[in-house]
Amino acid sequence: MDLGIKDKRALITGGSGGMGIEVAKLLKQEGAHPFLTDLDPAALEKADAQLGGTAGTMAADLTDTGDIARLKDRLAELGGCDILVHAAGVTGAKGDPLEMTDDDWMEAWEIDFMSAVRLSRALVPGMVGKGWGRVVFVTSENAVQPYADEAVYNAAKAALLNFTKCVSMPYAPKGVLFNTVSPAFIETPMTDGMMEKRAKELGVSMDEAIESFLKEERPFLTLGRRGRVEEVAPVIALLCSDRASFTVGSAYRVDGGSVGTMNI
């Protein structure tokens, strides 16, 4: 399938992570030019090597408006940004919701929500100027199915889902389409860290930690396993494409059945 994005430039945040790299690979295969950003320059260099050394990269802290401005300027030098895939995020602090400090809440809010607002503010006007743009925010099952010990993450991702619908309304008529993809329990460094911590706390192997987590914490995950980035990235790539020209303000779940209701 020709996605119709040849020569489009795509900024991918969380670009050194598994999800970011896999999305970049697919977009590159379709003739787009991926540009990766993340916090660690060395990790970005390794990610670029996996793409054949052809992607642009720039380390940036997306909670820093100065870094976002510099990122915007760098993309402008290359001809601007046509596609934004915002995959950067953190799970944040965990525990009793009322025991989370203001700093705990604000960390998740700044990284998981406000970074999306600031990136949109910086990059979408340029897309409007071109009359074409795609924005895909990676949210989470937590946006619609919260877990008590992940309150700060739940709230930030739910807000991002709501923001996507809000911002899609004025900008779709201008050619910029916003959508979200909500994965659940994907094999990434983030969930690796979660399971390593669980394994240590329970005194069990990593596989046993995953098995018990699925049984006790994710009972609706019908497929009974962690997902793979290769199973999520194609959905993101499609939403970045000209093929998704009638898809706007939508939330696509790629969660193995993890959400136990019919809501979207």
Side-chain angles (χ1 to χ4, degrees), residues 121-138:
R121 190 186 292 146
L123 300 176
V124 168
M127 298 179 190
V128 171
K130 296 182 178 186
W132 193 98
R134 298 289 186 269
V135 179
V136 181
F137 296 132
V138 178

PDB file of all heavy atoms in Angstrom, residues 121-138:
ATOM      1  N   ARG A 121       1.846  23.544  19.310  1.00  0.00           N
ATOM      2  CA  ARG A 121       1.897  25.001  19.196  1.00  0.00           C
ATOM      3  C   ARG A 121       3.055  25.424  18.284  1.00  0.00           C
ATOM      4  O   ARG A 121       2.933  26.368  17.489  1.00  0.00           O
ATOM      5  CB  ARG A 121       2.070  25.586  20.592  1.00  0.00           C
ATOM      6  CG  ARG A 121       1.904  27.086  20.697  1.00  0.00           C
ATOM      7  CD  ARG A 121       2.240  27.539  22.114  1.00  0.00           C
ATOM      8  NE  ARG A 121       1.263  27.066  23.080  1.00  0.00           N
ATOM      9  CZ  ARG A 121       1.556  26.715  24.328  1.00  0.00           C
ATOM     10  NH1 ARG A 121       2.807  26.750  24.762  1.00  0.00           N
ATOM     11  NH2 ARG A 121       0.611  26.325  25.148  1.00  0.00           N
ATOM     12  N   ALA A 122       4.174  24.711  18.383  1.00  0.00           N
ATOM     13  CA  ALA A 122       5.359  25.071  17.606  1.00  0.00           C
ATOM     14  C   ALA A 122       5.280  24.620  16.150  1.00  0.00           C
ATOM     15  O   ALA A 122       5.728  25.346  15.253  1.00  0.00           O
ATOM     16  CB  ALA A 122       6.602  24.461  18.265  1.00  0.00           C
ATOM     17  N   LEU A 123       4.720  23.440  15.912  1.00  0.00           N
ATOM     18  CA  LEU A 123       4.848  22.817  14.592  1.00  0.00           C
ATOM     19  C   LEU A 123       3.600  22.873  13.714  1.00  0.00           C
ATOM     20  O   LEU A 123       3.709  22.882  12.484  1.00  0.00           O
ATOM     21  CB  LEU A 123       5.275  21.353  14.756  1.00  0.00           C
ATOM     22  CG  LEU A 123       6.617  21.136  15.466  1.00  0.00           C
ATOM     23  CD1 LEU A 123       6.875  19.651  15.659  1.00  0.00           C
ATOM     24  CD2 LEU A 123       7.763  21.791  14.708  1.00  0.00           C
ATOM     25  N   VAL A 124       2.441  22.904  14.325  1.00  0.00           N
ATOM     26  CA  VAL A 124       1.212  22.832  13.526  1.00  0.00           C
ATOM     27  C   VAL A 124       1.007  24.054  12.626  1.00  0.00           C
ATOM     28  O   VAL A 124       0.555  23.893  11.482  1.00  0.00           O
ATOM     29  CB  VAL A 124      -0.015  22.563  14.425  1.00  0.00           C
ATOM     30  CG1 VAL A 124      -1.316  22.765  13.662  1.00  0.00           C
ATOM     31  CG2 VAL A 124       0.063  21.136  14.972  1.00  0.00           C
ATOM     32  N   PRO A 125       1.331  25.271  13.064  1.00  0.00           N
ATOM     33  CA  PRO A 125       1.174  26.395  12.134  1.00  0.00           C
ATOM     34  C   PRO A 125       1.910  26.199  10.810  1.00  0.00           C
ATOM     35  O   PRO A 125       1.409  26.591   9.747  1.00  0.00           O
ATOM     36  CB  PRO A 125       1.736  27.583  12.923  1.00  0.00           C
ATOM     37  CG  PRO A 125       1.449  27.229  14.348  1.00  0.00           C
ATOM     38  CD  PRO A 125       1.711  25.747  14.423  1.00  0.00           C
ATOM     39  N   GLY A 126       3.075  25.588  10.857  1.00  0.00           N
ATOM     40  CA  GLY A 126       3.801  25.312   9.623  1.00  0.00           C
ATOM     41  C   GLY A 126       3.078  24.316   8.739  1.00  0.00           C
ATOM     42  O   GLY A 126       3.086  24.427   7.505  1.00  0.00           O
ATOM     43  N   MET A 127       2.431  23.330   9.359  1.00  0.00           N
ATOM     44  CA  MET A 127       1.628  22.364   8.602  1.00  0.00           C
ATOM     45  C   MET A 127       0.433  23.057   7.957  1.00  0.00           C
ATOM     46  O   MET A 127       0.091  22.785   6.800  1.00  0.00           O
ATOM     47  CB  MET A 127       1.160  21.240   9.518  1.00  0.00           C
ATOM     48  CG  MET A 127       2.266  20.407  10.142  1.00  0.00           C
ATOM     49  SD  MET A 127       1.580  19.128  11.237  1.00  0.00           S
ATOM     50  CE  MET A 127       3.059  18.527  12.051  1.00  0.00           C
ATOM     51  N   VAL A 128      -0.192  23.952   8.714  1.00  0.00           N
ATOM     52  CA  VAL A 128      -1.328  24.710   8.173  1.00  0.00           C
ATOM     53  C   VAL A 128      -0.882  25.506   6.950  1.00  0.00           C
ATOM     54  O   VAL A 128      -1.584  25.573   5.935  1.00  0.00           O
ATOM     55  CB  VAL A 128      -1.912  25.656   9.239  1.00  0.00           C
ATOM     56  CG1 VAL A 128      -2.936  26.601   8.623  1.00  0.00           C
ATOM     57  CG2 VAL A 128      -2.546  24.858  10.375  1.00  0.00           C
ATOM     58  N   GLY A 129       0.307  26.079   7.027  1.00  0.00           N
ATOM     59  CA  GLY A 129       0.834  26.835   5.898  1.00  0.00           C
ATOM     60  C   GLY A 129       1.003  25.996   4.649  1.00  0.00           C
ATOM     61  O   GLY A 129       0.862  26.496   3.524  1.00  0.00           O
ATOM     62  N   LYS A 130       1.277  24.716   4.841  1.00  0.00           N
ATOM     63  CA  LYS A 130       1.435  23.806   3.702  1.00  0.00           C
ATOM     64  C   LYS A 130       0.096  23.218   3.251  1.00  0.00           C
ATOM     65  O   LYS A 130       0.018  22.592   2.184  1.00  0.00           O
ATOM     66  CB  LYS A 130       2.373  22.653   4.076  1.00  0.00           C
ATOM     67  CG  LYS A 130       3.807  23.079   4.381  1.00  0.00           C
ATOM     68  CD  LYS A 130       4.652  21.853   4.702  1.00  0.00           C
ATOM     69  CE  LYS A 130       6.100  22.233   4.958  1.00  0.00           C
ATOM     70  NZ  LYS A 130       6.982  21.050   5.138  1.00  0.00           N
ATOM     71  N   GLY A 131      -0.916  23.355   4.115  1.00  0.00           N
ATOM     72  CA  GLY A 131      -2.224  22.800   3.794  1.00  0.00           C
ATOM     73  C   GLY A 131      -2.322  21.307   4.012  1.00  0.00           C
ATOM     74  O   GLY A 131      -3.294  20.658   3.578  1.00  0.00           O
ATOM     75  N   TRP A 132      -1.335  20.739   4.737  1.00  0.00           N
ATOM     76  CA  TRP A 132      -1.325  19.282   4.964  1.00  0.00           C
ATOM     77  C   TRP A 132      -0.481  18.987   6.193  1.00  0.00           C
ATOM     78  O   TRP A 132       0.618  19.535   6.360  1.00  0.00           O
ATOM     79  CB  TRP A 132      -0.730  18.549   3.769  1.00  0.00           C
ATOM     80  CG  TRP A 132      -0.936  17.054   3.758  1.00  0.00           C
ATOM     81  CD1 TRP A 132      -1.900  16.374   3.065  1.00  0.00           C
ATOM     82  CD2 TRP A 132      -0.151  16.048   4.447  1.00  0.00           C
ATOM     83  NE1 TRP A 132      -1.769  15.012   3.275  1.00  0.00           N
ATOM     84  CE2 TRP A 132      -0.713  14.786   4.123  1.00  0.00           C
ATOM     85  CE3 TRP A 132       0.943  16.090   5.298  1.00  0.00           C
ATOM     86  CZ2 TRP A 132      -0.199  13.590   4.626  1.00  0.00           C
ATOM     87  CZ3 TRP A 132       1.451  14.906   5.807  1.00  0.00           C
ATOM     88  CH2 TRP A 132       0.884  13.671   5.465  1.00  0.00           C
ATOM     89  N   GLY A 133      -0.975  18.123   7.035  1.00  0.00           N
ATOM     90  CA  GLY A 133      -0.200  17.697   8.192  1.00  0.00           C
ATOM     91  C   GLY A 133      -0.870  16.542   8.899  1.00  0.00           C
ATOM     92  O   GLY A 133      -2.083  16.331   8.788  1.00  0.00           O
ATOM     93  N   ARG A 134      -0.054  15.778   9.618  1.00  0.00           N
ATOM     94  CA  ARG A 134      -0.570  14.659  10.422  1.00  0.00           C
ATOM     95  C   ARG A 134       0.100  14.714  11.796  1.00  0.00           C
ATOM     96  O   ARG A 134       1.321  14.883  11.896  1.00  0.00           O
ATOM     97  CB  ARG A 134      -0.259  13.303   9.771  1.00  0.00           C
ATOM     98  CG  ARG A 134      -0.905  13.094   8.394  1.00  0.00           C
ATOM     99  CD  ARG A 134      -2.402  12.899   8.500  1.00  0.00           C
ATOM    100  NE  ARG A 134      -2.997  12.574   7.215  1.00  0.00           N
ATOM    101  CZ  ARG A 134      -3.486  13.462   6.346  1.00  0.00           C
ATOM    102  NH1 ARG A 134      -3.415  14.761   6.650  1.00  0.00           N
ATOM    103  NH2 ARG A 134      -4.028  13.082   5.207  1.00  0.00           N
ATOM    104  N   VAL A 135      -0.718  14.551  12.830  1.00  0.00           N
ATOM    105  CA  VAL A 135      -0.207  14.503  14.198  1.00  0.00           C
ATOM    106  C   VAL A 135      -0.775  13.258  14.859  1.00  0.00           C
ATOM    107  O   VAL A 135      -2.007  13.064  14.884  1.00  0.00           O
ATOM    108  CB  VAL A 135      -0.623  15.754  15.004  1.00  0.00           C
ATOM    109  CG1 VAL A 135      -0.096  15.645  16.443  1.00  0.00           C
ATOM    110  CG2 VAL A 135      -0.106  17.024  14.336  1.00  0.00           C
ATOM    111  N   VAL A 136       0.102  12.412  15.367  1.00  0.00           N
ATOM    112  CA  VAL A 136      -0.328  11.198  16.067  1.00  0.00           C
ATOM    113  C   VAL A 136       0.302  11.212  17.455  1.00  0.00           C
ATOM    114  O   VAL A 136       1.529  11.204  17.591  1.00  0.00           O
ATOM    115  CB  VAL A 136       0.089   9.915  15.319  1.00  0.00           C
ATOM    116  CG1 VAL A 136      -0.392   8.681  16.081  1.00  0.00           C
ATOM    117  CG2 VAL A 136      -0.471   9.912  13.899  1.00  0.00           C
ATOM    118  N   PHE A 137      -0.541  11.237  18.471  1.00  0.00           N
ATOM    119  CA  PHE A 137      -0.077  11.161  19.848  1.00  0.00           C
ATOM    120  C   PHE A 137      -0.217   9.724  20.329  1.00  0.00           C
ATOM    121  O   PHE A 137      -1.277   9.103  20.153  1.00  0.00           O
ATOM    122  CB  PHE A 137      -0.914  12.062  20.762  1.00  0.00           C
ATOM    123  CG  PHE A 137      -0.810  13.528  20.463  1.00  0.00           C
ATOM    124  CD1 PHE A 137      -1.945  14.308  20.368  1.00  0.00           C
ATOM    125  CD2 PHE A 137       0.426  14.131  20.287  1.00  0.00           C
ATOM    126  CE1 PHE A 137      -1.858  15.667  20.111  1.00  0.00           C
ATOM    127  CE2 PHE A 137       0.524  15.486  20.018  1.00  0.00           C
ATOM    128  CZ  PHE A 137      -0.627  16.260  19.932  1.00  0.00           C
ATOM    129  N   VAL A 138       0.830   9.197  20.933  1.00  0.00           N
ATOM    130  CA  VAL A 138       0.762   7.872  21.538  1.00  0.00           C
ATOM    131  C   VAL A 138       0.246   8.062  22.964  1.00  0.00           C
ATOM    132  O   VAL A 138       0.916   8.648  23.806  1.00  0.00           O
ATOM    133  CB  VAL A 138       2.129   7.174  21.530  1.00  0.00           C
ATOM    134  CG1 VAL A 138       2.031   5.809  22.218  1.00  0.00           C
ATOM    135  CG2 VAL A 138       2.624   7.010  20.086  1.00  0.00           C
TER     136      VAL A 138
END
